[in-house]
Amino acid sequence: MGTLEDGLAKAGIASAGRHLFICLGPDCCAPEEGEKLWEFVKQRVRETGLRAMRTKAGCFRICTGGPWLVVYPEGVWYGAVTPERFERILREHLLGGQPVGEWVVVRNDLGCGRL
Ligand code: FES
């Protein structure tokens, strides 16, 4: 076990600009599908240097239409995310600042926009 400081640094909390949560199934999508997306997201975040934390979510209780990707602080929910779709989300939303409107299922920033 490392130190708390090491853990916080490894998680990238101090430098993160976004937090991506991904449900890997098994009820909203096949676990292989979710795992494939997770590996792709991990690779592309590293390659692009995007300042984003990544977290595997156990289940969002939607349990259909996945894999689900939630982007905070915007609170944008994308369903049926494939690696190909993530590539566009990466370019247009995460790097470009404009959510991919046609794929946004719901949006709720939990009031952060009011701060
Ligand atoms: S298993 Fe993904 S939302 Fe429930």
XYZ file of all heavy atoms in Angstrom:
895
model
N 0.839 -1.182 0.000
C 0.000 0.000 0.000
C 0.886 1.248 0.000
O 1.820 1.337 0.787
C -0.913 -0.003 1.226
C -1.907 1.114 1.188
S -2.953 1.329 2.666
C -3.315 -0.304 3.185
N 0.567 2.201 -0.905
C 1.336 3.435 -0.969
C 0.806 4.462 0.008
O -0.101 4.205 0.796
N 1.376 5.636 -0.066
C 0.934 6.720 0.808
C -0.328 7.367 0.236
O -0.653 7.204 -0.953
C 2.011 7.806 0.931
O 2.163 8.419 -0.356
C 3.327 7.227 1.419
N -1.005 8.124 1.054
C -2.189 8.860 0.600
C -1.801 9.832 -0.512
O -2.500 9.952 -1.526
C -2.810 9.615 1.779
C -3.989 10.524 1.452
C -5.123 9.729 0.802
C -4.480 11.234 2.703
N -0.670 10.497 -0.344
C -0.220 11.465 -1.360
C 0.014 10.760 -2.698
O -0.343 11.278 -3.752
C 1.066 12.171 -0.899
C 0.876 13.148 0.232
C 0.667 12.473 1.599
O 1.035 11.284 1.757
O 0.102 13.138 2.491
N 0.618 9.569 -2.644
C 0.857 8.803 -3.876
C -0.467 8.442 -4.551
O -0.611 8.548 -5.772
C 1.629 7.516 -3.579
C 3.068 7.782 -3.175
O 3.550 8.910 -3.404
O 3.693 6.856 -2.630
N -1.428 8.024 -3.743
C -2.728 7.641 -4.284
C -3.440 8.812 -4.928
O -4.012 8.686 -6.016
N -3.404 9.956 -4.266
C -4.065 11.143 -4.810
C -3.398 11.587 -6.111
O -4.076 11.955 -7.073
C -4.029 12.277 -3.783
C -4.863 12.060 -2.515
C -4.568 13.152 -1.487
C -6.340 12.002 -2.836
N -2.075 11.500 -6.150
C -1.347 11.879 -7.356
C -1.660 10.909 -8.489
O -1.899 11.319 -9.626
C 0.149 11.913 -7.068
N -1.675 9.611 -8.193
C -1.952 8.592 -9.209
C -3.363 8.770 -9.770
O -3.589 8.602 -10.973
C -1.792 7.198 -8.605
C -1.958 6.088 -9.599
C -1.750 4.739 -8.952
C -2.098 3.634 -9.945
N -2.309 2.366 -9.279
N -4.303 9.114 -8.922
C -5.684 9.307 -9.371
C -5.831 10.571 -10.216
O -6.782 10.708 -10.971
C -6.618 9.361 -8.163
N -4.896 11.485 -10.095
C -4.944 12.717 -10.891
C -5.990 13.708 -10.422
O -6.447 14.555 -11.195
N -6.353 13.631 -9.172
C -7.438 14.475 -8.656
C -7.117 15.965 -8.759
O -7.950 16.762 -9.190
C -7.766 14.085 -7.198
C -8.336 12.663 -7.172
C -8.746 15.080 -6.571
C -8.454 12.069 -5.795
N -5.919 16.343 -8.393
C -5.572 17.765 -8.360
C -5.552 18.403 -9.739
O -5.803 19.603 -9.879
C -4.222 17.950 -7.675
N -5.289 17.600 -10.773
C -5.140 18.193 -12.105
C -6.303 17.881 -13.042
O -6.339 18.365 -14.169
C -3.836 17.704 -12.750
O -3.871 16.293 -12.882
N -7.262 17.087 -12.589
C -8.348 16.655 -13.481
C -9.258 17.811 -13.866
O -9.608 18.652 -13.046
C -9.172 15.557 -12.814
N -9.647 17.819 -15.130
C -10.617 18.800 -15.605
C -11.986 18.167 -15.789
O -12.991 18.859 -15.864
N -11.980 16.828 -15.869
C -13.242 16.096 -16.038
C -13.145 14.756 -15.330
O -12.055 14.274 -15.025
C -13.532 15.853 -17.524
C -13.978 17.099 -18.249
C -14.781 16.707 -19.467
N -15.357 17.861 -20.117
C -14.715 18.604 -20.995
N -13.465 18.338 -21.307
N -15.311 19.628 -21.565
N -14.309 14.179 -15.104
C -14.368 12.835 -14.544
C -15.312 12.023 -15.411
O -16.461 12.419 -15.625
C -14.866 12.889 -13.091
C -14.552 11.661 -12.310
N -14.405 11.657 -10.945
C -14.352 10.372 -12.696
C -14.120 10.434 -10.523
N -14.097 9.635 -11.565
N -14.801 10.917 -15.932
C -15.583 10.038 -16.806
C -15.957 8.787 -16.033
O -15.083 8.121 -15.468
C -14.752 9.630 -18.035
C -14.007 10.731 -18.781
C -13.202 10.120 -19.922
C -14.969 11.783 -19.298
N -17.238 8.483 -16.000
C -17.723 7.255 -15.368
C -18.273 6.361 -16.468
O -19.061 6.812 -17.301
C -18.840 7.547 -14.365
C -18.384 8.326 -13.163
C -18.400 9.710 -13.185
C -17.937 7.683 -12.016
C -17.985 10.442 -12.080
C -17.525 8.405 -10.903
C -17.548 9.790 -10.936
N -17.881 5.110 -16.448
C -18.331 4.178 -17.483
C -18.897 2.933 -16.833
O -18.232 2.307 -15.992
C -17.154 3.787 -18.412
C -16.614 5.026 -19.111
C -17.587 2.726 -19.425
C -15.337 4.781 -19.888
N -20.114 2.580 -17.216
C -20.691 1.329 -16.745
C -20.292 0.227 -17.713
O -20.503 0.346 -18.922
C -22.215 1.398 -16.640
S -22.887 -0.169 -15.998
N -19.728 -0.825 -17.166
C -19.249 -1.940 -17.989
C -20.256 -3.087 -18.035
O -19.926 -4.181 -18.441
C -17.922 -2.467 -17.432
C -16.810 -1.449 -17.207
C -15.534 -2.171 -16.830
C -16.588 -0.591 -18.426
N -21.463 -2.886 -17.618
C -22.459 -3.948 -17.616
C -22.446 -4.675 -16.284
O -21.923 -4.155 -15.307
N -23.075 -5.822 -16.161
C -23.436 -6.731 -17.246
C -24.864 -6.577 -17.779
O -25.205 -7.240 -18.756
C -23.289 -8.108 -16.585
C -23.729 -7.861 -15.175
C -23.234 -6.455 -14.855
N -25.682 -5.709 -17.188
C -27.080 -5.687 -17.623
C -27.374 -4.674 -18.726
O -28.284 -4.884 -19.520
C -27.997 -5.412 -16.425
C -27.959 -6.553 -15.430
O -27.757 -7.704 -15.868
O -28.091 -6.311 -14.224
N -26.627 -3.578 -18.792
C -26.891 -2.587 -19.844
C -26.147 -2.912 -21.132
O -26.467 -2.367 -22.176
C -26.543 -1.181 -19.366
S -24.791 -0.885 -19.082
N -25.152 -3.791 -21.029
C -24.389 -4.200 -22.206
C -23.634 -5.475 -21.858
O -23.524 -5.825 -20.680
C -23.405 -3.111 -22.640
S -22.097 -2.784 -21.429
N -23.116 -6.126 -22.877
C -22.295 -7.308 -22.641
C -20.997 -6.872 -21.964
O -20.410 -5.868 -22.375
C -21.989 -8.011 -23.951
N -20.544 -7.592 -20.942
C -19.322 -7.196 -20.254
C -18.121 -7.045 -21.195
O -17.297 -6.155 -20.990
C -19.098 -8.325 -19.242
C -20.466 -8.868 -18.988
C -21.205 -8.721 -20.286
N -18.046 -7.874 -22.240
C -16.917 -7.758 -23.189
C -16.969 -6.414 -23.905
O -15.944 -5.797 -24.176
C -16.936 -8.865 -24.256
C -17.214 -10.240 -23.770
C -18.696 -10.537 -23.555
O -19.473 -10.556 -24.522
O -19.053 -10.741 -22.380
N -18.177 -5.981 -24.204
C -18.390 -4.700 -24.888
C -17.941 -3.553 -23.975
O -17.250 -2.624 -24.397
C -19.886 -4.573 -25.187
C -20.289 -3.558 -26.186
C -21.821 -3.532 -26.359
O -22.541 -4.390 -25.802
O -22.279 -2.618 -27.049
N -18.353 -3.624 -22.710
C -17.979 -2.593 -21.747
C -16.480 -2.557 -21.511
O -15.867 -1.492 -21.450
N -15.886 -3.726 -21.408
C -14.439 -3.805 -21.168
C -13.657 -3.272 -22.370
O -12.658 -2.577 -22.209
C -14.059 -5.261 -20.872
C -12.724 -5.423 -20.186
C -12.623 -4.682 -18.850
O -13.531 -4.786 -18.007
O -11.607 -3.973 -18.666
N -14.143 -3.565 -23.564
C -13.499 -3.066 -24.791
C -13.539 -1.541 -24.809
O -12.542 -0.881 -25.130
C -14.230 -3.648 -26.008
C -13.651 -3.284 -27.340
C -14.434 -3.993 -28.449
C -14.164 -3.391 -29.805
N -15.066 -3.918 -30.827
N -14.690 -0.978 -24.440
C -14.812 0.485 -24.381
C -13.864 1.048 -23.335
O -13.169 2.035 -23.584
C -16.252 0.893 -24.072
C -16.453 2.404 -23.858
C -16.153 3.185 -25.135
C -17.866 2.691 -23.358
N -13.829 0.429 -22.155
C -12.965 0.899 -21.077
C -11.500 0.954 -21.534
O -10.811 1.947 -21.312
C -13.099 -0.013 -19.856
C -12.144 0.346 -18.771
C -10.958 -0.266 -18.464
C -12.256 1.444 -17.841
N -10.342 0.357 -17.415
C -11.120 1.402 -17.023
C -13.221 2.435 -17.660
C -10.914 2.343 -16.007
C -13.016 3.366 -16.648
C -11.881 3.312 -15.837
N -11.034 -0.105 -22.160
C -9.638 -0.148 -22.619
C -9.373 0.932 -23.667
O -8.312 1.551 -23.673
C -9.298 -1.533 -23.184
C -9.228 -2.613 -22.132
C -8.209 -2.317 -21.028
O -7.115 -1.810 -21.333
O -8.533 -2.571 -19.847
N -10.336 1.159 -24.555
C -10.171 2.181 -25.585
C -10.112 3.567 -24.961
O -9.257 4.386 -25.316
C -11.312 2.097 -26.610
C -11.121 3.015 -27.779
C -10.228 2.712 -28.793
C -11.829 4.216 -27.863
C -10.030 3.572 -29.860
C -11.644 5.083 -28.937
C -10.751 4.764 -29.932
N -11.014 3.826 -24.018
C -11.037 5.134 -23.349
C -9.713 5.361 -22.626
O -9.115 6.441 -22.718
C -12.230 5.221 -22.370
C -12.114 6.438 -21.458
C -13.540 5.253 -23.141
N -9.250 4.360 -21.935
C -7.979 4.475 -21.206
C -6.835 4.830 -22.163
O -6.052 5.750 -21.903
C -7.701 3.144 -20.493
C -6.516 3.168 -19.579
C -6.525 2.011 -18.604
C -6.288 0.691 -19.265
N -6.145 -0.422 -18.298
N -6.785 4.118 -23.279
C -5.731 4.352 -24.277
C -5.810 5.761 -24.857
O -4.807 6.479 -24.925
C -5.878 3.319 -25.395
C -4.926 3.511 -26.560
C -5.335 2.666 -27.759
O -5.960 1.608 -27.620
N -5.016 3.145 -28.943
N -7.007 6.172 -25.251
C -7.150 7.477 -25.908
C -6.948 8.649 -24.938
O -6.406 9.687 -25.322
C -8.517 7.579 -26.597
C -8.672 6.625 -27.759
C -7.658 6.882 -28.856
N -7.983 8.107 -29.569
C -7.083 8.999 -29.968
N -5.790 8.825 -29.713
N -7.459 10.079 -30.610
N -7.349 8.470 -23.691
C -7.107 9.524 -22.695
C -5.606 9.701 -22.510
O -5.097 10.819 -22.468
C -7.831 9.210 -21.367
C -7.316 10.093 -20.234
C -9.342 9.386 -21.537
N -4.901 8.588 -22.426
C -3.434 8.669 -22.291
C -2.796 9.309 -23.521
O -1.939 10.174 -23.404
C -2.838 7.271 -22.086
C -3.016 6.758 -20.695
C -2.265 5.462 -20.515
N -2.521 4.925 -19.201
C -2.572 3.636 -18.916
N -2.359 2.736 -19.849
N -2.797 3.237 -17.689
N -3.210 8.870 -24.711
C -2.602 9.368 -25.948
C -2.823 10.859 -26.149
O -1.965 11.548 -26.679
C -3.164 8.597 -27.150
C -2.636 7.196 -27.266
C -3.340 6.379 -28.342
O -4.315 6.872 -28.964
O -2.926 5.227 -28.544
N -3.982 11.333 -25.762
C -4.301 12.740 -26.000
C -3.869 13.646 -24.843
O -3.869 14.863 -24.983
C -5.815 12.939 -26.223
O -6.516 12.447 -25.076
C -6.277 12.231 -27.473
N -3.522 13.044 -23.715
C -3.133 13.858 -22.561
C -4.309 14.574 -21.923
O -4.122 15.537 -21.174
N -5.513 14.087 -22.199
C -6.716 14.689 -21.617
C -6.631 14.620 -20.096
O -6.331 13.566 -19.538
C -7.949 13.923 -22.107
C -9.303 14.466 -21.663
C -9.620 15.743 -22.428
C -10.382 13.417 -21.910
N -6.899 15.737 -19.430
C -6.862 15.759 -17.961
C -8.211 15.267 -17.448
O -9.095 16.059 -17.154
C -6.551 17.158 -17.459
C -5.158 17.638 -17.808
C -4.845 19.017 -17.259
N -5.861 19.996 -17.599
C -6.726 20.538 -16.729
N -6.697 20.202 -15.465
N -7.620 21.423 -17.131
N -8.361 13.955 -17.415
C -9.637 13.376 -16.995
C -9.388 12.158 -16.119
O -8.537 11.333 -16.427
C -10.459 12.969 -18.213
N -10.139 12.082 -15.043
C -10.141 10.877 -14.235
C -11.096 9.890 -14.880
O -12.073 10.290 -15.512
C -10.616 11.199 -12.817
C -9.711 12.153 -12.086
S -10.422 12.624 -10.490
C -10.490 11.037 -9.664
N -10.815 8.611 -14.746
C -11.685 7.553 -15.285
C -12.077 6.633 -14.146
O -11.235 6.224 -13.362
C -10.937 6.722 -16.329
C -10.590 7.424 -17.587
C -9.669 6.580 -18.441
N -8.285 6.624 -17.951
C -7.679 5.654 -17.298
N -8.288 4.527 -17.042
N -6.444 5.790 -16.897
N -13.361 6.297 -14.102
C -13.829 5.384 -13.064
C -14.812 4.388 -13.661
O -15.729 4.778 -14.385
C -14.527 6.176 -11.925
O -13.580 7.079 -11.353
C -15.046 5.238 -10.845
N -14.578 3.112 -13.342
C -15.535 2.075 -13.733
C -16.700 2.140 -12.764
O -16.501 2.092 -11.548
C -14.901 0.688 -13.627
C -13.833 0.402 -14.634
C -13.289 -1.008 -14.419
C -12.212 -1.329 -15.424
N -11.661 -2.686 -15.220
N -17.896 2.262 -13.307
C -19.087 2.280 -12.456
C -19.701 0.880 -12.467
O -19.783 0.242 -13.521
C -20.091 3.299 -12.971
N -20.115 0.413 -11.332
C -20.705 -0.915 -11.248
C -22.040 -0.978 -11.970
O -22.309 -1.887 -12.735
N -22.885 0.007 -11.755
C -24.206 0.026 -12.381
C -24.847 1.369 -12.046
O -24.803 1.816 -10.906
C -25.054 -1.117 -11.827
S -26.768 -1.097 -12.392
N -25.459 1.987 -13.061
C -26.186 3.249 -12.828
C -27.672 3.010 -12.574
O -28.434 3.963 -12.491
C -26.037 4.174 -14.040
C -24.633 4.667 -14.273
C -24.022 4.472 -15.506
C -23.931 5.335 -13.282
C -22.735 4.936 -15.743
C -22.646 5.804 -13.510
C -22.047 5.589 -14.744
N -28.085 1.761 -12.564
C -29.478 1.342 -12.352
C -30.367 1.661 -13.553
O -31.574 1.727 -13.421
C -30.061 1.930 -11.064
C -29.265 1.511 -9.841
C -29.806 2.064 -8.572
N -31.119 1.507 -8.283
C -31.977 2.065 -7.420
N -31.652 3.182 -6.781
N -33.138 1.516 -7.205
N -29.753 1.883 -14.707
C -30.517 2.053 -15.947
C -30.695 0.665 -16.585
O -31.775 0.294 -17.004
C -29.804 3.017 -16.917
C -29.571 4.370 -16.239
C -30.587 3.173 -18.206
C -28.639 5.301 -16.985
N -29.585 -0.032 -16.665
C -29.568 -1.454 -17.026
C -30.143 -1.791 -18.401
O -30.661 -2.891 -18.608
C -30.202 -2.292 -15.930
S -29.340 -2.082 -14.354
N -30.073 -0.851 -19.294
C -30.371 -1.085 -20.704
C -29.707 0.037 -21.493
O -29.405 1.093 -20.946
C -31.894 -1.113 -20.969
O -32.136 -1.528 -22.321
C -32.533 0.249 -20.749
N -29.438 -0.227 -22.753
C -28.933 0.837 -23.620
C -27.509 1.263 -23.381
O -27.109 2.343 -23.801
N -26.710 0.437 -22.751
C -25.318 0.779 -22.497
C -24.410 0.347 -23.629
O -24.911 -0.048 -24.689
N -23.123 0.435 -23.428
C -22.440 0.979 -22.257
C -22.722 2.471 -22.072
O -22.801 3.221 -23.049
C -20.950 0.759 -22.572
C -20.894 -0.207 -23.700
C -22.165 -0.067 -24.446
N -22.831 2.872 -20.816
C -23.085 4.271 -20.471
C -21.800 4.987 -20.127
O -20.933 4.439 -19.422
C -24.035 4.356 -19.273
C -25.433 4.008 -19.671
C -26.010 2.764 -19.625
C -26.407 4.886 -20.224
N -27.290 2.831 -20.121
C -27.568 4.120 -20.487
C -26.409 6.246 -20.518
C -28.719 4.673 -21.028
C -27.566 6.789 -21.060
C -28.702 6.012 -21.309
N -21.719 6.227 -20.608
C -20.591 7.105 -20.273
C -21.190 8.389 -19.713
O -22.056 8.998 -20.347
C -19.768 7.434 -21.530
C -18.804 8.619 -21.423
C -17.654 8.314 -20.458
C -18.257 8.978 -22.807
N -20.742 8.778 -18.536
C -21.190 10.028 -17.932
C -19.989 10.944 -17.788
O -18.926 10.526 -17.299
C -21.823 9.802 -16.544
C -22.481 11.085 -16.060
C -22.812 8.672 -16.588
N -20.153 12.180 -18.231
C -19.069 13.154 -18.197
C -19.413 14.262 -17.205
O -20.433 14.950 -17.361
C -18.853 13.783 -19.598
C -17.726 14.812 -19.559
C -18.593 12.709 -20.639
N -18.581 14.407 -16.185
C -18.724 15.504 -15.228
C -17.542 16.439 -15.374
O -16.457 15.991 -15.732
C -18.788 14.967 -13.783
C -20.144 14.397 -13.448
C -20.303 13.029 -13.275
C -21.259 15.223 -13.344
C -21.547 12.503 -12.987
C -22.512 14.687 -13.060
C -22.640 13.331 -12.878
O -23.875 12.817 -12.607
N -17.722 17.746 -15.167
C -18.801 18.377 -14.432
C -20.059 18.693 -15.249
O -21.044 19.150 -14.670
C -18.162 19.690 -13.937
C -17.195 20.051 -14.994
C -16.649 18.718 -15.477
N -20.049 18.462 -16.550
C -21.220 18.840 -17.350
C -22.444 17.999 -17.026
O -23.568 18.432 -17.261
C -20.909 18.706 -18.847
C -19.810 19.604 -19.347
C -18.485 18.872 -19.370
O -18.204 18.102 -18.434
O -17.740 19.065 -20.340
N -22.226 16.765 -16.570
C -23.354 15.881 -16.292
C -24.027 15.410 -17.563
O -25.244 15.331 -17.643
N -23.229 15.075 -18.558
C -23.752 14.608 -19.835
C -23.714 13.084 -19.857
O -22.672 12.482 -19.591
C -22.932 15.186 -21.010
C -23.319 14.538 -22.322
C -23.128 16.692 -21.092
N -24.851 12.491 -20.174
C -24.991 11.039 -20.214
C -25.094 10.578 -21.663
O -26.011 10.969 -22.382
C -26.237 10.599 -19.453
C -26.168 10.828 -17.973
C -26.171 12.022 -17.313
C -26.094 9.814 -16.959
N -26.102 11.814 -15.952
C -26.063 10.466 -15.707
C -26.065 8.411 -16.992
C -25.987 9.763 -14.505
C -25.993 7.723 -15.801
C -25.952 8.388 -14.572
N -24.173 9.708 -22.055
C -24.193 9.099 -23.382
C -24.482 7.605 -23.236
O -23.829 6.930 -22.428
C -22.833 9.225 -24.066
C -22.399 10.628 -24.426
C -21.419 11.274 -23.690
C -22.927 11.270 -25.538
C -20.991 12.550 -24.034
C -22.500 12.548 -25.891
C -21.532 13.178 -25.139
O -21.109 14.437 -25.490
N -25.421 7.093 -24.031
C -25.707 5.658 -24.032
C -25.163 5.013 -25.281
O -24.788 5.698 -26.239
N -25.119 3.680 -25.261
C -24.679 2.886 -26.414
C -23.337 3.365 -26.956
O -23.151 3.511 -28.163
C -25.743 2.895 -27.515
N -22.410 3.613 -26.050
C -21.106 4.157 -26.467
C -20.196 3.020 -26.935
O -19.957 2.056 -26.203
C -20.437 4.936 -25.315
C -19.084 5.491 -25.762
C -21.343 6.064 -24.843
N -19.737 3.148 -28.139
C -18.764 2.218 -28.722
C -17.428 2.950 -28.791
O -17.385 4.183 -28.648
C -19.176 1.831 -30.155
O -19.200 3.043 -30.943
C -20.549 1.164 -30.180
N -16.337 2.223 -29.050
C -15.063 2.930 -29.248
C -15.158 3.980 -30.355
O -14.613 5.069 -30.233
C -14.094 1.799 -29.591
C -14.643 0.625 -28.831
C -16.140 0.767 -28.958
N -15.860 3.653 -31.425
C -15.981 4.608 -32.532
C -16.734 5.864 -32.081
O -16.350 6.977 -32.425
C -16.722 3.960 -33.710
C -15.982 2.821 -34.379
C -15.965 1.520 -33.550
O -16.844 1.326 -32.681
O -15.043 0.708 -33.776
N -17.792 5.676 -31.325
C -18.541 6.831 -30.819
C -17.703 7.615 -29.815
O -17.740 8.844 -29.785
C -19.843 6.383 -30.161
C -20.921 6.059 -31.155
C -22.226 5.782 -30.453
N -23.308 5.714 -31.421
C -24.565 6.017 -31.159
N -24.926 6.381 -29.947
N -25.486 5.940 -32.082
N -16.953 6.907 -28.986
C -16.129 7.616 -28.010
C -15.116 8.502 -28.720
O -14.813 9.606 -28.248
C -15.403 6.666 -27.060
C -14.557 7.430 -26.070
C -15.155 8.069 -24.985
C -13.183 7.580 -26.256
C -14.406 8.833 -24.105
C -12.431 8.344 -25.386
C -13.040 8.966 -24.296
N -14.596 8.059 -29.834
C -13.614 8.866 -30.559
C -14.214 10.226 -30.945
O -13.562 11.257 -30.797
C -13.137 8.104 -31.794
C -11.990 8.777 -32.523
C -10.710 8.875 -31.703
O -10.451 8.010 -30.849
O -9.962 9.864 -31.902
N -15.438 10.210 -31.384
C -16.100 11.489 -31.733
C -16.396 12.295 -30.473
O -16.234 13.528 -30.453
C -17.385 11.212 -32.523
C -18.049 12.490 -32.957
C -19.202 12.255 -33.889
N -20.017 13.470 -33.965
C -21.264 13.503 -34.405
N -21.828 12.401 -34.853
N -21.923 14.641 -34.422
N -16.848 11.633 -29.399
C -17.115 12.320 -28.129
C -15.820 12.961 -27.622
O -15.814 14.091 -27.126
C -17.696 11.331 -27.092
C -19.108 10.893 -27.516
C -17.695 11.933 -25.696
C -19.651 9.680 -26.764
N -14.735 12.246 -27.779
C -13.428 12.755 -27.359
C -13.072 14.035 -28.122
O -12.727 15.058 -27.527
C -12.352 11.682 -27.587
C -10.917 12.078 -27.289
C -10.713 12.297 -25.793
C -9.961 10.996 -27.788
N -13.205 13.962 -29.439
C -12.803 15.108 -30.272
C -13.727 16.311 -30.057
O -13.261 17.421 -29.831
C -12.804 14.732 -31.756
C -11.569 13.985 -32.211
C -11.530 13.782 -33.717
N -12.414 12.697 -34.144
C -13.582 12.855 -34.764
N -14.005 14.055 -35.084
N -14.318 11.819 -35.100
N -15.024 16.062 -30.138
C -15.959 17.183 -30.124
C -16.290 17.690 -28.722
O -16.386 18.895 -28.511
C -17.253 16.786 -30.847
C -17.011 16.519 -32.318
C -18.285 16.187 -33.087
O -19.388 16.521 -32.621
O -18.156 15.574 -34.161
N -16.458 16.791 -27.768
C -16.864 17.199 -26.426
C -15.656 17.376 -25.499
O -15.407 18.474 -25.001
C -17.833 16.149 -25.863
C -18.350 16.475 -24.496
N -19.372 15.799 -23.905
C -17.965 17.406 -23.576
C -19.618 16.297 -22.708
N -18.769 17.270 -22.487
N -14.915 16.313 -25.297
C -13.873 16.354 -24.269
C -12.707 17.261 -24.657
O -12.117 17.922 -23.808
C -13.384 14.937 -23.970
C -14.503 13.964 -23.541
C -13.958 12.555 -23.373
C -15.185 14.455 -22.273
N -12.367 17.303 -25.938
C -11.300 18.198 -26.388
C -11.871 19.494 -26.954
O -11.301 20.558 -26.768
C -10.421 17.506 -27.435
C -9.653 16.275 -26.931
C -8.994 15.524 -28.088
C -8.606 16.680 -25.893
N -13.011 19.396 -27.633
C -13.565 20.564 -28.306
C -14.559 21.385 -27.495
O -14.892 22.498 -27.863
N -15.086 20.787 -26.419
C -15.977 21.545 -25.546
C -17.446 21.533 -25.932
O -18.262 22.166 -25.270
N -17.804 20.824 -27.009
C -19.200 20.771 -27.456
C -19.729 19.344 -27.365
O -19.302 18.476 -28.135
C -19.304 21.227 -28.920
C -19.222 22.712 -29.112
C -20.344 23.457 -28.394
O -21.491 23.036 -28.377
N -19.989 24.561 -27.766
N -20.656 19.074 -26.450
C -21.223 17.730 -26.396
C -21.794 17.313 -27.752
O -22.260 18.152 -28.526
C -22.324 17.849 -25.342
C -21.892 18.985 -24.470
C -21.208 19.949 -25.403
N -21.748 16.007 -28.016
C -22.308 15.480 -29.259
C -23.813 15.355 -29.040
O -24.320 14.350 -28.543
C -21.681 14.115 -29.628
C -22.254 13.613 -30.951
C -20.154 14.223 -29.700
N -24.532 16.423 -29.395
C -25.936 16.571 -29.049
C -26.820 15.396 -29.421
O -27.688 14.986 -28.655
N -26.590 14.846 -30.602
C -27.470 13.758 -31.061
C -27.315 12.492 -30.226
O -28.176 11.621 -30.276
C -27.209 13.479 -32.539
C -25.863 12.844 -32.823
C -25.301 13.237 -34.183
O -24.910 14.404 -34.354
O -25.267 12.368 -35.060
N -26.241 12.375 -29.454
C -26.037 11.175 -28.641
C -26.244 11.448 -27.148
O -26.119 10.535 -26.332
C -24.628 10.615 -28.844
C -24.377 10.132 -30.233
C -25.317 9.798 -31.175
C -23.100 9.929 -30.839
N -24.702 9.403 -32.332
C -23.345 9.471 -32.158
C -21.782 10.092 -30.418
C -22.319 9.163 -33.039
C -20.751 9.775 -31.284
C -21.015 9.324 -32.596
N -26.535 12.676 -26.780
C -26.781 12.978 -25.368
C -28.173 12.467 -25.008
O -29.164 12.912 -25.568
C -26.679 14.487 -25.079
C -27.079 14.784 -23.632
C -25.269 14.991 -25.364
N -28.225 11.549 -24.071
C -29.510 10.974 -23.657
C -30.158 11.862 -22.601
O -31.359 12.102 -22.630
C -29.317 9.541 -23.130
C -30.640 8.955 -22.638
C -28.707 8.648 -24.201
N -29.373 12.352 -21.688
C -29.886 13.234 -20.644
C -28.718 14.075 -20.134
O -27.554 13.705 -20.272
C -30.561 12.420 -19.506
C -29.550 11.586 -18.751
C -31.349 13.298 -18.561
N -29.081 15.218 -19.563
C -28.043 16.104 -19.056
C -28.483 16.650 -17.708
O -29.613 17.126 -17.564
C -27.834 17.239 -20.050
C -26.635 18.085 -19.746
C -26.318 18.992 -20.903
N -25.161 19.784 -20.538
C -24.428 20.480 -21.372
N -24.743 20.513 -22.635
N -23.392 21.166 -20.955
N -27.604 16.557 -16.718
C -27.885 17.080 -15.381
C -26.549 17.327 -14.684
O -25.855 16.376 -14.320
C -28.722 16.078 -14.576
C -29.046 16.592 -13.180
O -28.554 17.632 -12.755
N -29.844 15.857 -12.453
N -26.231 18.587 -14.511
C -24.937 18.904 -13.888
C -25.034 18.959 -12.360
O -24.117 19.431 -11.691
C -24.358 20.205 -14.458
C -25.166 21.424 -14.067
O -26.159 21.304 -13.309
O -24.804 22.531 -14.512
N -26.151 18.503 -11.816
C -26.360 18.420 -10.374
C -26.236 19.792 -9.692
O -25.852 19.883 -8.528
C -25.373 17.418 -9.732
C -25.367 16.012 -10.341
C -24.330 15.131 -9.649
C -26.739 15.362 -10.286
N -26.528 20.818 -10.456
C -26.498 22.158 -9.879
C -25.139 22.818 -9.917
O -25.008 23.965 -9.462
N -24.140 22.139 -10.473
C -22.790 22.722 -10.491
C -22.738 23.992 -11.320
O -21.939 24.883 -11.035
C -21.776 21.726 -11.034
S -21.558 20.324 -9.932
N -23.595 24.085 -12.327
C -23.627 25.282 -13.163
C -24.091 26.507 -12.415
O -23.882 27.629 -12.858
N -24.684 26.313 -11.253
C -25.166 27.446 -10.463
C -24.105 27.984 -9.517
O -24.311 28.970 -8.862
C -26.393 27.024 -9.659
C -27.600 26.730 -10.532
C -28.837 26.554 -9.662
N -28.726 25.390 -8.828
C -29.315 24.209 -9.072
N -30.036 24.079 -10.143
N -29.176 23.215 -8.256
N -22.990 27.281 -9.421
C -21.957 27.734 -8.472
C -21.263 28.971 -8.966
O -21.148 29.208 -10.126
C -20.905 26.621 -8.248
C -21.431 25.392 -7.523
C -20.313 24.347 -7.433
C -21.905 25.727 -6.134
S -25.498 -2.597 -15.629
Fe -25.045 -0.696 -16.623
S -26.572 0.624 -15.858
Fe -26.958 -1.242 -14.784
